Amino acid sequence: MAHTSQSLRRGAALLASTVAALGLLTACGNGGQGKSPESVSGTAAPATGNASSADSSGTSAVPSADGSSPASQTGASATGGGSSTGGTTTGTAAAAGTRCHTSELTASVGTDNPGAGQENFPIVLTNKSGRTCTVRGYPGAAFVNASGTQLGPDPQRESGTTATTVTLKPGQSAWAGLTFSNPEISGAKTATPAALLVTPPDEKDSLKVTWNNGAVPVSGNASSVRLNVFSAGTGV
C-alpha cells in the first residue's frame, strides 16, 4: 500500500508538470501575449506652430520684387508679382503697375551717340503685353559670340545714378545706357559680338539682340563696359 500511494503521488506530479508545459506552449503560439492588445483612444494631435507662411485666408506673404514689405499673393511666385502667360496675369499682386517680366518685353539697341571718346548705346525695352507694368534699376547685359560664349567681363553698373520706377503702358519703352571707351582710342583688345543678351531688372531670362555695331572692348586698358539705370523713352 505504501508503494501504491507513492506511485500515485508521482503520477499526480507528472500530470501537473504536463499541464504547465502545455500552458507555456499555448502562450508561445500566441506570440508570447498572454492577453489581448491594449486599445489606445484618440488620434494623433496636429503639429503646433506656423509650418508655412500662409495666413488665415490661405494666401502666402512673400517679399515684393524690390525687397520692400511683403504683399499677400495668391498663386504668385516669390520672385515676382504674380504669374504671367501671353499678357494674361493671375494673382492679386499681378495688377497693373507690377514689374515687367521678360516674356512681356522686346529688346533692341538704339543708334550710337558717341562723344568724348565714348560710345553710347541705348538698350531699349518695350512692353509688348496687354497690361501696364514697370521696370526699375539696371539691366543685365553680356556680349556673346555666335556660339553663345560671353566676350569680356560683365558690364559694370555706373555709380552715382538713382533708380526710379518707370511705368510702361502697352507699347511704351524704357531705355538704359550702355557705354564704353572707343577701342581705337583706349587701345583695349577687342572682339566683335554676334549678339547682346539683355536681362530685364529682377528677371532671370534674357532677350537676345543682334549686335551690328562692330568691335567692343573685352580686355586690356579701359575695357570696362558700363550700364546706367532705366529711364522712360527710347534714349533718342
Side-chain angles (χ1 to χ4, degrees):
M1 292 294 293
H3 179 73
T4 300
S5 298
Q6 186 176 9
S7 297
L8 288 174
R9 286 196 297 271
R10 289 177 178 176
L14 179 60
L15 179 61
S17 299
T18 303
V19 171
L22 289 173
L24 289 173
L25 290 174
T26 303
C28 292
N30 288 333
Q33 297 177 356
K35 58 180 180 179
S36 59
E38 292 184 11
S39 60
V40 180
S41 61
T43 57
T48 59
N50 212 353
S52 69
S53 60
D55 60 22
S56 59
S57 64
T59 59
S60 296
V62 298
S64 61
D66 61 359
S68 59
S69 59
S72 291
Q73 300 180 0
T74 304
S77 67
T79 57
S83 60
S84 174
T85 304
T88 301
T89 58
T90 61
T92 57
T98 58
R99 88 170 189 273
C100 302
H101 301 289
T102 302
S103 62
E104 299 174 307
L105 300 166
T106 60
S108 60
V109 176
T111 304
D112 184 18
N113 182 25
Q118 291 287 113
E119 309 301 325
N120 305 294
F121 296 91
I123 296 175
V124 182
L125 294 180
T126 301
N127 181 7
K128 69 175 183 178
S129 76
R131 73 175 184 111
T132 297
C133 59
T134 63
V135 295
R136 179 185 176 88
Y138 297 88
F143 291 111
V144 295
N145 61 19
S147 300
T149 302
Q150 181 171 335
L151 302 174
D154 292 336
Q156 300 177 4
R157 293 180 174 184
E158 193 71 60
S159 60
T161 56
T162 302
T164 59
T165 299
V166 182
T167 301
L168 301 180
K169 295 180 179 180
Q172 291 185 332
S173 301
W175 72 281
L178 181 149
T179 66
F180 54 84
S181 296
N182 187 310
E184 294 183 1
I185 297 174
S186 68
K189 295 181 180 179
T190 64
T192 301
L196 176 69
L197 300 183
V198 178
T199 307
D202 296 317
E203 290 290 299
K204 294 182 179 179
D205 296 328
S206 59
L207 298 165
K208 188 175 183 179
V209 183
T210 300
W211 182 259
N212 297 314
N213 298 287
V216 300
V218 294
S219 65
N221 296 332
S223 60
S224 297
V225 177
R226 298 185 179 277
L227 295 169
N228 286 312
V229 296
F230 277 103
S231 300
T234 59
V236 177

